[in-house]
Amino acid sequence: MLLFESCSAGVLALGLGIASVMLVVSLYAVFVWPLTFWDLANLGLEKYAQYGNTALWSVFAGGTLAGYWCFSGEAFKNRRKPLPKPSARSTRARR
């Protein structure tokens, strides 16, 4: 169950990444392209396809590891407990 929850955090990270890319592309399509008619066809982005694939797998792996860290409880184990405040009686005894 922990594995599936961790993988779902990785899928959520991918979903957030894809949503942000879609937001940037839609802003470009609404504001830049109608004014300039620059469609990015001559940039040659095909040579960077392997890096995009690596970036997608890295985001998924990072989200999965973050989900595992959080869902396993490891994120909350190292919290320091607050020290109890000395009572008024013990402070009077020291004086």
Side-chain angles (χ1 to χ4, degrees), residues 1-2 20 28 37 62 72 77 81-82:
M1 186 169 157
L2 181 62
S20 63
Y28 172 82
F37 296 107
S72 68
K77 285 184 180 177
K81 295 180 182 177

Side-chain angles (χ1 to χ4, degrees), residues 8-29:
S8 70
V11 171
L12 180 66
L14 277 178
L16 289 174
I18 290 172
S20 63
V21 167
M22 288 176 61
L23 178 68
V24 169
V25 168
S26 64
L27 289 174
Y28 172 82

